[in-house]
Amino acid sequence: MTPGAWAAILLGAAAIAWVNWYFFLAKRSAATASAGAGGAQEVTITVQGGYEPAEVKVKRGTPVRLIFDRRETSSCSEEVVIPDFGIRKFLPAFQKTPVELTPEKAGAFEITCGMSMLHGKLIVEA
Ligand SMILES: [Cu+2]
């Protein structure tokens, strides 16, 4: 093979590695809630074309306050739904909306928009 062909192969491999990193590692942002007012576990989730962090880890049996910081007017994200907790809440654009719940059992629970297009996860650890 010519040096040019080798260079093309190396570039291709580098591009594939980058794509894998970008989609499978970089996007899997997770955050652990920190102690907020009144002893609740608090975490702020930025809503802008998705949920950031996409995964939130909390502890079972302690109240959780998820603060949705919506930074867009896109109708897709105007509602947030956490089906397992019976939560469906309107998020006004450019405002922070708190959603409170107390997880009584461990597991992974879905956070979605009203149309189930945006996805996040609430991970409750025992
Ligand atoms: Cu949507």
Side-chain angles (χ1 to χ4, degrees):
M1 269 193 276
T2 65
W6 280 111
I9 289 167
L10 284 176
L11 269 177
I16 290 165
W18 182 83
V19 165
N20 278 313
W21 172 80
Y22 187 81
F23 287 101
F24 299 107
L25 297 171
K27 280 227 154 179
R28 203 173 301 154
S29 59
T32 304
S34 57
Q41 311 175 75
E42 202 170 272
V43 71
T44 298
I45 299 173
T46 301
V47 181
Q48 194 169 34
Y51 300 116
E52 175 59 40
E55 281 186 9
V56 174
K57 282 187 185 150
V58 297
K59 293 242 179 304
R60 182 168 61 99
T62 312
V64 172
R65 187 178 300 118
L66 303 173
I67 300 167
F68 288 90
D69 182 5
R70 184 162 173 245
R71 299 188 187 164
E72 62 182 3
T73 52
S74 157
S75 63
C76 184
S77 63
E78 72 186 7
E79 227 181 6
V80 69
V81 184
I82 311 177
D84 295 287
F85 292 87
I87 290 169
R88 176 176 285 268
K89 197 146 189 177
F90 181 74
L91 306 177
F94 306 107
Q95 279 187 45
K96 290 182 178 176
T97 308
V99 168
E100 283 165 6
L101 55 91
T102 302
E104 300 293 358
K105 55 177 184 178
F109 305 97
E110 217 186 358
I111 300 172
T112 75
C113 68
M115 317 144 186
S116 195
M117 287 157 67
L118 307 179
H119 296 275
K121 219 171 244 176
L122 179 70
I123 296 168
V124 180
E125 296 174 327

